Amino acid sequence: MSVDATSLLRLEKTSLRQQALSALRRAITTGQLPPGTHLVETELSEKLQISRGTLREAMRQLQQEGLISAGARGRLSVRHLDTKEIRDIFNVRAALESLAARELAALADRTECVRLLRDAVDDMDRWAASNLEDRIEADLRFHRTMCQLTGNETLLHQWTSLEGSIRMSIMFAGVDRAIKNMDAKRHMEIVDAIEAGDADLAAATVASHMAGAAHVLVA
C-alpha cells in the first residue's frame, strides 16, 4: 500500500482523531485508498503522525460508517461493494428520501424548505466544474438537507448512518458514471414536486431518481 502523506493531511496536535478520520475518509472516498486495500496500522500511524490508539479510534468509526471492513484475523481493509450491495443501498435511500419528500410536500407552508432545497441545487451547479470530491459533497448536501428539513430525527439518523456506504457507492463505477448522477436538473425535479404539494408525486420522483442513479452505477 502506498499513500502520499501530504495528500492525507498535515495533522495538527488538536482533534487528532477527527482529523485522522477526515483524512482517511477522504482518501477512501476519492479512491486514493481503493477498495480492497489493507490498512496497516504502523504505516498509517506513521504517515499521519498520530498514535496507533488514535488511529484505531478513527478506524472504528470508519467501520461503523461502512467504509472499511474486517476480514480474516480481523485485518481491516477498504470495503468493496458489489452490484447487489449498490442496489440495496439505493433501495434503502429511496425509501428514506421518498418519505422525506412526502413529508415536505405535505407541509402547509413549504416556502422556506423549497428555498433551501433550490439553494442546495444551485450549489451543485456552482461546483459542477470543480473536482469530484467537491461535487460529491454538494450532491450529498442536497439529499441530507431534504432529510434534515423534515425535522424527523429518526429519518435523518438512518440516512446519516448510510452516508459512508453512499460515498462508496458513488465511486463504485468510476468518475464518469458518478458525475452523471450529479445532474442539477434531475435534482430540481424533486424540488418542483415538493413545491407542488403533491406528496405522491414527490415520493415517486425520488424513487425514480434513485432507481435511475443505481442503474447508471451498475449497468
Side-chain angles (χ1 to χ4, degrees), residues 148-172:
Q148 286 174 329
L149 289 172
T150 66
N152 185 328
E153 293 298 328
T154 300
L155 190 160
L156 179 60
H157 174 74
Q158 294 302 318
W159 188 92
T160 302
S161 71
L162 278 176
E163 193 164 351
S165 295
I166 292 170
R167 291 174 188 275
M168 293 294 288
S169 68
I170 290 172
M171 295 303 300
F172 173 80

Side-chain angles (χ1 to χ4, degrees), residues 108-129:
D109 184 359
R110 302 177 296 284
T111 305
E112 182 63 8
C113 289
V114 169
R115 183 187 70 78
L116 291 171
L117 289 172
R118 291 196 185 282
D119 285 347
V121 176
D122 289 343
D123 196 38
M124 292 178 66
D125 256 340
R126 280 193 292 273
W127 289 107

Side-chain angles (χ1 to χ4, degrees), residues 19 23 31 35 39 45 56 58 60 66 75 79-80 85 88-89 98 129 158 163 167 181 186 194 198-199:
Q19 291 181 67
L39 303 176
S45 61
R56 286 192 196 106
R60 275 195 293 270
R75 293 184 66 188
R79 184 180 173 197
H80 174 78
E85 288 175 303
D88 289 346
I89 290 166
S98 291
Q158 294 302 318
E163 193 164 351
R167 291 174 188 275
N181 284 338
R186 292 180 65 239
I194 291 171
D198 187 330

Side-chain angles (χ1 to χ4, degrees), residues 40-52:
V40 182
E41 281 188 10
T42 51
E43 182 178 340
L44 287 174
S45 61
E46 180 180 345
K47 289 183 180 297
L48 293 169
Q49 299 181 12
I50 58 174
S51 71
R52 291 174 69 176

Side-chain angles (χ1 to χ4, degrees), residues 89-113:
I89 290 166
F90 274 82
N91 283 338
V92 175
R93 283 191 69 184
L96 293 172
E97 295 187 36
S98 291
L99 174 59
R102 181 179 293 280
E103 290 192 4
L104 294 178
L107 291 174
D109 184 359
R110 302 177 296 284
T111 305
E112 182 63 8
C113 289

